[in-house]
Amino acid sequence: AQSVAQPEDQVNVAEGNPLTVKCTYSVSGNPYLFWYVQYPNRGLQFLLKYITGDNLVKGSYGFEAEFNKSQTSFHLKKPSALVSDSALYFCAVSPREDSNYQLIWGAGTKLIIKP
Amino acid sequence: EAQVTQNPRYLITVTGKKLTVTCSQNMNHEYMSWYRQDPGLGLRQIYYSMNVEVTDKGDVPEGYKVSRKEKRNFPLILESPSPNQTSLYFCASSFAGGFQETQYFGPGTRLLVL
């Protein structure tokens, strides 16, 4: 079965330090890859996506993600964390062979940035 | 402002009392979808719609109904709610340009079924 794994339920990072939120997937073919963020009491917001081309994708709020085909990973990164980055982060994958635009979602990772 | 709106934002109801959660988008999107979010499970798709009068089941459709009579609206109907439908619900929309389209989410509806 196709799946997306976010192996860490929670990630704690000190403000100013680099952060990484991990995502691996098990999907056939060459999928499209997404990161969304959910701030408290808000809906999900799009951060970035990988469609094709450069493996390093830059997105909103200084975030970036690196696509690694051999490791089937799409880790989210930021060089210097801010307290305001504290939120719930979701990785999602869209199989290109799928005919109905469904996304396969990870369970989410809670990111806590401490001052 | 481009947005997806949901109403109500919070709802407490009792088992068996029919309810409808409305969803509306002003971006002329063809694709709309309903998700439920439960702790540790991420987002699970309930139903989706590719365009007006075209709907299909997602991963967890049992106990839910939808309709798409107008392009902008995609209501979620719980004919006989049960406690296991207590959850946080999100509506989302996007253009139907392919699998790479970004989805836009509403603010969520928190439902408690007693």
Side-chain angles (χ1 to χ4, degrees):
Chain A
Q2 302 186 106
S3 62
V4 174
Q6 293 180 242
E8 300 153 318
D9 292 336
Q10 183 170 308
V11 172
N12 298 298
V13 178
E15 187 176 28
N17 283 1
L19 70 87
T20 298
V21 183
K22 296 179 180 177
C23 173
T24 59
Y25 61 90
S26 175
V27 174
S28 57
N30 298 302
Y32 299 109
L33 304 161
F34 300 80
W35 277 102
Y36 285 83
V37 59
Q38 183 181 20
Y39 297 103
N41 299 314
R42 302 278 296 276
L44 280 75
Q45 297 177 33
F46 169 75
L47 266 183
L48 51 80
K49 63 184 175 184
Y50 173 81
I51 303 300
T52 188
D54 193 346
N55 289 344
L56 186 63
V57 180
K58 294 190 183 298
S60 307
Y61 313 121
F63 283 93
E64 58 188 26
E66 186 169 12
F67 169 59
N68 187 316
K69 186 175 182 178
S70 63
Q71 297 185 5
T72 61
S73 67
F74 190 55
H75 300 332
L76 181 69
K77 300 181 180 184
K78 187 173 182 180
S80 179
L82 299 172
V83 173
S84 57
D85 293 329
S86 298
L88 187 58
Y89 291 80
F90 289 95
C91 179
V93 175
S94 178
R96 297 189 189 204
E97 289 76 21
D98 197 289
S99 62
N100 57 17
Y101 310 155
Q102 281 188 287
L103 285 174
I104 303 169
W105 293 84
T109 298
K110 186 175 184 180
L111 177 63
I112 297 176
I113 309 299
K114 298 185 177 179
Chain B
E1 180 190 355
Q3 60 182 348
V4 179
T5 57
Q6 293 178 228
N7 283 292
R9 293 289 311 278
Y10 303 92
L11 181 60
I12 301 175
T13 190
V14 295
T15 299
K17 185 176 182 182
K18 181 179 178 180
L19 66 91
T20 299
V21 183
T22 64
C23 173
S24 182
Q25 51 92 5
N26 63 1
M27 294 169 279
N28 203 33
H29 286 164
E30 295 88 5
Y31 179 86
M32 297 186 75
S33 179
W34 275 104
Y35 295 93
R36 61 178 289 173
Q37 182 183 8
D38 302 289
L41 297 178
L43 274 73
R44 294 181 292 169
Q45 191 176 48
I46 303 170
Y47 270 95
Y48 63 95
S49 170
M50 299 294 289
N51 213 323
V52 176
E53 302 292 0
V54 181
T55 63
D56 208 345
K57 297 177 181 178
D59 298 318
V60 289
E62 295 77 19
Y64 305 94
K65 286 176 58 177
V66 293
S67 68
R68 188 91 182 273
K69 294 183 172 57
E70 303 167 284
K71 195 172 186 179
R72 63 183 294 127
N73 296 323
F74 190 45
L76 179 69
I77 303 157
L78 284 71
E79 294 271 3
S80 183
S82 63
N84 64 11
Q85 293 179 296
T86 292
S87 187
L88 178 58
Y89 292 87
F90 289 104
C91 180
S93 71
S94 72
F95 289 113
F99 316 127
Q100 73 272 28
E101 292 297 332
T102 298
Q103 293 197 34
Y104 295 82
F105 285 80
T109 295
R110 191 169 292 279
L111 172 65
L112 172 62
V113 182
L114 301 174

